[in-house]
């Protein structure tokens, strides 16, 4: 099976083509112009990760919501589940940037942290 | 009227103003004042809650509020004065600023130097001339971003986004994460206007279709928008008959570009570059009006805040120096000219006494080329894109070896 991944490491935006075997393993990888592209496409295929950034409700601050992020990237397919948790959280001001709002987010070993003072 | 005397007055407390004021203070200017119309510092960064900021500056990926907070914390450690909720009404060539706030009423601020750091605003629908009614539900992407990320409410359930600028792409993801459906992103160009990374992480990740060489030709609905008609366009951006399709939506976001906010500058008599829509500046980031400097998105629209900070530190440093009476007339003036496939270059004029960093954009995408700086320096580029600003540093020694008084910056084939 063929799979295309656009490398986003640099502005060249190479279209990397992966040939996959029966078990989704990478048989060959072409189209990348450098080694960084190979590393990116490999990890993007095997375990794509994203940092989740959003807002949670906040009480007692100058704004009704507080921006938050996961302090490390999480598996891409956990984003939706993550948003369901995020939408139920309510933080209480005063808050400092970096304060943990949800510890061990989704049991993934990463924290959801505040990204500003409020 | 209340009179205020300062060394350096910085208009705008966004990333440009924050960096400029810190640099001016560091240079030795004693009274540095930031004038901000909003209720807090940080500017647009406060609503850019996604990450990807600061990779150059802090060697890590921060969100907009985190990037702003770091600078705000730096400011708090200094004696830089901040006036919030203060609106500047007028700037004069003699460096007087008329401003108003509810605490002091009218203020007359006398500054030895001024840094213009007002940022930019979004192009609006008026500038686009889309036919159809004027129903509710049409927002600029940045306005919608503010509603969602600062005020905490999502202004629609089914959206179409016109324009593939970065804010539009980012908002496509935000709407989707918040449970709204983004039906389409429509772009008139044959390629996405925003960064590829955003196309991948904001559209492809969520299976949001991107229609290139297409535009919105009609907006339907009376009170509230009900649908838009999109169509493909030819090379002259005229709709191609027979390609129309109607998409139901309750929201249309416009992400069609940013324009430097230069009403105050123009009124003061600052000369404006018709291409960047920002002031003409020299290598000290000084405008044609002595002692009035400009930096950040008011000067030209940046794509990386890291570059805004860098450029603004330069402006702040020279503004500080000017306020201290330490700047000197430059003996030699070199005009900077945008050559082949270069849309613009900032600064517009340089001396040969100071190291200088040029920022520029290309007109069209090209691969395997080189950036040639007046024959003084040549840098290979695997690719150049209009959406990615280029920058290059030149030393005084290199400038001194230039013959003539024009420096042409261009893209050359390898
Ligand atoms: S493969 Fe290499 S050259 Fe191509 S986009 Fe990725 S990092 Fe850039």
């Amino acid at each position: 099976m063929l799979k295309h991944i656009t490398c986003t490491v640099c502005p060249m935006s190479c279209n990397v083509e992966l040939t996959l075997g029966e078990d989704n393993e990478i048989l060959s990888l072409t189209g990348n112009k450098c080694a960084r592209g190979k590393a990116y496409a490999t990890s993007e295929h095997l375990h794509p990760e994203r940092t989740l950034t959003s807002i949670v409700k906040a009480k007692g601050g100058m704004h009704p919501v507080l921006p938050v992020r996961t302090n490390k990237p999480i598996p891409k397919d956990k984003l939706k589940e993550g948003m369901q948790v995020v939408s139920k959280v309510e933080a209480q001001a005063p808050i400092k940037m970096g304060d943990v709002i949800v510890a061990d987010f989704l049991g993934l070993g990463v924290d959801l942290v505040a990204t500003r003072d409020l | 009227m209340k009179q205020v005397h300062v060394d350096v007055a910085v208009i705008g407390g966004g990333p440009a103003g924050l960096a400029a004021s810190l640099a001016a203070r560091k240079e030795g200017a004693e009274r540095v004042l930031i004038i901000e119309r909003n209720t807090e510092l940080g500017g647009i960064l406060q609503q850019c809650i996604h990450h990807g900021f600061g990779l150059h500056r802090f060697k890590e990926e921060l969100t907009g509020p985190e990037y702003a907070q770091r600078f705000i914390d730096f400011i708090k450690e200094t004696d830089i004065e901040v006036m919030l909720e203060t609106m500047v009404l007028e700037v004069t060539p003699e460096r007087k600023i008329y401003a108003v706030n509810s605490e002091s009423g009218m203020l007359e601020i006398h500054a030895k130097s001024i840094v213009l750091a007002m940022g930019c605003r979004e192009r609006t629908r008026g500038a686009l001339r889309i036919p159809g009614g004027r129903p509710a539900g049409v927002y600029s992407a940045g306005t919608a971003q503010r509603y969602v990320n600062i005020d905490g409410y999502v202004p629609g359930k089914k959206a179409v986004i016109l324009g593939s600028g970065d804010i539009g792409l980012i908002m496509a993801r935000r709407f989707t994460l918040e449970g709204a459906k983004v039906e389409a992103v429509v772009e008139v160009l044959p390629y996405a206007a925003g960064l590829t990374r955003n196309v991948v992480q904001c559209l492809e990740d969520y299976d949001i279709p991107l229609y290139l060489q297409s535009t919105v030709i009609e907006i339907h609905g009376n009170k509230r928008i009900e649908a838009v008609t999109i169509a493909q366009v030819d090379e002259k951006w005229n709709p191609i008959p027979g390609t129309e399709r109607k998409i139901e939506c309750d929201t249309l976001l416009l992400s069609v570009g940013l324009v430097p906010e230069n009403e105050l500058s123009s009124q003061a008599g600052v000369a404006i570059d018709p291409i960047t829509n920002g002031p003409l500046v020299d290598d000290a980031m000084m405008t044609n009006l002595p002692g009035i400097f400009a930096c950040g998105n008011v000067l030209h629209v940046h794509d990386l805040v890291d570059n805004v900070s860098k450029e603004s530190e330069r402006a702040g440093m020279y503004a500080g120096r000017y306020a201290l009476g330490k700047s000197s007339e430059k003996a030699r003036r070199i005009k900077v000219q945008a050559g082949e496939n270069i849309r613009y270059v900032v600064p517009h004029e340089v001396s040969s006494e100071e190291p200088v960093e040029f920022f520029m954009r290309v007109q069209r995408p090209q691969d395997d080329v080189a950036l040639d700086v007046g024959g003084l320096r040549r840098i290979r580029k695997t690719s150049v894109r209009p959406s990615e600003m280029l920058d290059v540093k030149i030393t005084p020694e290199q400038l001194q070896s230039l013959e003539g008084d024009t420096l042409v910056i261009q893209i050359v084939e390898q």
Side-chain angles (χ1 to χ4, degrees):
Chain A
M1 201 182 80
L2 280 181
K3 181 176 177 180
H4 290 273
I5 290 177
T6 310
C7 179
T8 55
V9 176
C10 90
M12 276 299 276
S13 315
C14 293
N15 183 8
V16 185
E17 197 175 280
L18 293 81
T19 313
L20 305 177
E22 299 271 304
D23 297 317
N24 227 11
E25 78 277 19
I26 300 171
L27 299 177
S28 73
L29 189 155
T30 56
N32 57 309
K33 290 205 174 155
C34 75
R36 286 193 300 167
K38 182 176 176 181
Y40 172 84
T42 306
S43 81
E44 180 68 10
H45 170 61
L46 295 175
H47 44 85
E49 289 188 319
R50 301 287 185 263
T51 296
L52 177 63
T53 59
S54 191
I55 49 163
V56 298
K57 288 188 212 82
K59 274 203 174 139
M62 69 181 295
H63 299 302
V65 293
L66 169 78
V68 292
R69 68 179 293 180
T70 54
N71 61 353
K72 286 196 202 85
I74 61 171
K76 194 171 124 179
D77 56 17
K78 293 278 182 191
L79 290 172
K80 221 174 175 176
E81 205 184 321
M83 279 306 288
Q84 282 163 5
V85 173
V86 163
S87 66
K88 293 190 186 81
V89 175
E90 193 170 282
Q92 177 71 48
I95 294 155
K96 278 273 172 209
M97 173 169 73
D99 281 359
V100 175
I101 304 299
V102 179
D104 193 17
F105 189 64
L106 302 178
L108 293 167
V110 308
D111 295 334
L112 191 73
V113 298
T115 59
R116 61 166 286 168
D117 295 357
L118 191 74
Chain B
M1 205 183 317
K2 189 177 170 188
Q3 306 284 316
V4 180
H5 292 265
V6 297
D7 290 326
V8 182
V10 178
I11 306 178
L18 293 171
S21 59
L22 284 165
R25 184 69 191 91
K26 192 169 160 212
E27 191 63 17
E30 277 175 13
R31 284 202 69 183
V32 179
L33 169 70
I34 302 176
I35 309 165
E36 166 60 48
R37 70 179 168 194
N38 209 334
T39 50
E40 61 180 336
L41 294 174
I44 204 75
L45 284 174
Q46 298 289 15
Q47 68 183 59
C48 300
I49 62 158
H50 56 282
H51 83 147
F53 302 88
L55 206 50
H56 297 268
R57 180 78 191 199
F58 296 111
K59 304 285 172 262
E60 59 181 302
E61 281 197 83
L62 303 173
T63 64
E66 287 172 315
Y67 191 96
Q69 189 77 57
R70 290 202 180 192
F71 276 86
I72 294 169
D73 291 347
F74 293 149
I75 298 271
K76 283 187 188 150
E77 287 165 21
T78 69
D79 55 4
I80 292 170
E81 294 163 63
V82 180
M83 271 184 199
L84 295 174
E85 294 179 83
T86 305
M87 183 83 154
V88 172
L89 305 172
E90 191 188 341
V91 176
T92 76
E94 298 78 32
R95 299 186 298 282
K96 262 190 286 188
I97 297 171
Y98 293 96
V100 61
N101 64 28
S102 56
E103 198 183 306
S104 315
M106 275 286 274
L107 292 152
E108 188 175 73
I109 301 163
H110 304 255
K112 291 181 186 153
S113 65
I114 292 175
V115 180
L116 304 171
M118 294 88 77
C120 57
R121 61 182 150 75
E122 294 179 279
R123 274 212 180 90
T124 53
R125 184 183 165 195
L128 285 169
R129 298 192 301 267
I130 306 168
R134 307 233 148 224
V138 183
Y139 307 97
S140 69
T143 302
Q145 189 178 43
R146 191 176 168 84
Y147 287 154
V148 180
N149 294 345
I150 305 266
D151 303 331
Y153 104 95
V154 185
K157 291 195 175 67
K158 239 178 183 215
V160 169
I161 301 179
L162 174 61
S164 60
D166 286 308
I167 312 174
L169 300 177
I170 295 284
M171 283 315 291
R173 176 172 62 188
R174 271 311 278 144
F175 263 58
T176 310
L177 282 173
E178 291 293 343
K181 176 114 178 66
V182 178
E183 298 287 343
V185 176
V186 185
E187 170 59 56
V188 73
L189 296 171
Y191 48 86
L195 304 172
T196 310
R197 172 189 151 119
N198 286 333
V199 174
V200 172
Q201 297 193 355
C202 300
L203 302 187
E204 291 175 12
D205 272 7
Y206 301 94
D207 297 319
I208 298 167
L210 169 63
Y211 299 101
L212 296 173
Q213 290 177 287
S214 301
T215 193
V216 170
I217 58 166
E218 200 179 342
I219 294 172
H220 308 273
N222 291 320
K223 285 212 175 73
R224 174 90 193 189
I225 181 168
E226 285 161 10
V228 294
T229 299
I230 70 168
Q232 288 172 23
V233 295
D234 60 21
E235 298 86 68
K236 293 196 185 103
W237 295 5
N238 292 317
I240 301 172
T243 64
E244 301 88 356
R245 78 154 93 182
K246 198 167 167 179
I247 304 177
E248 274 181 35
C249 60
D250 60 13
T251 309
L252 174 66
L253 299 188
L254 305 175
S255 175
V256 289
L258 302 165
V259 198
E261 181 113 69
N262 275 296
E263 279 69 24
L264 287 172
S265 332
S266 300
Q267 277 168 22
V270 170
I272 302 290
D273 175 344
I275 304 208
T276 58
N277 290 303
L280 293 165
V281 292
D282 65 12
D283 45 349
M285 315 309 287
M286 190 164 82
T287 66
N288 60 313
L289 299 180
I292 300 188
F293 299 75
C295 55
N297 283 349
V298 82
L299 184 56
H300 58 131
V301 176
H302 294 64
D303 33 57
L304 291 180
V305 69
D306 309 62
N307 285 337
V308 169
S309 301
K310 200 157 60 168
E311 178 181 278
S312 304
E313 278 164 349
R314 200 177 162 85
M317 178 184 84
Y318 285 107
R321 217 175 266 187
Y322 190 95
L324 295 168
K326 284 202 235 157
S327 54
S328 54
E329 249 321 286
K330 299 288 183 290
R332 187 170 170 217
R333 288 277 164 208
I334 300 167
K335 282 250 168 272
V336 182
Q337 202 182 310
E340 174 58 27
N341 196 16
I342 296 287
R343 196 158 73 86
Y344 74 79
V345 186
V346 170
H348 305 80
E349 191 182 273
V350 296
S351 67
S352 54
E353 289 147 51
E354 304 277 346
V356 58
E357 183 162 14
F358 292 105
F359 291 107
M360 68 221 89
R361 278 186 200 280
V362 297
Q363 262 157 338
R364 54 176 195 282
Q366 258 185 295
D367 290 334
D368 295 315
V369 288
L371 176 67
D372 177 78
V373 188
L376 305 175
R377 217 183 143 190
R378 187 177 269 222
I379 301 153
R380 283 191 59 174
K381 294 275 168 196
T382 42
S383 79
V384 292
R385 300 279 178 272
S387 57
E388 319 234 355
M389 198 160 75
L390 302 171
D391 66 306
V392 57
K393 289 198 180 91
I394 297 290
T395 64
E397 294 72 38
Q398 284 170 320
L399 284 167
Q400 277 148 24
S401 69
L402 182 80
E403 285 174 29
D405 52 10
T406 306
L407 179 80
V408 181
I409 300 188
Q410 57 185 344
I411 297 293
V412 293
E413 301 274 343
Q414 275 287 13

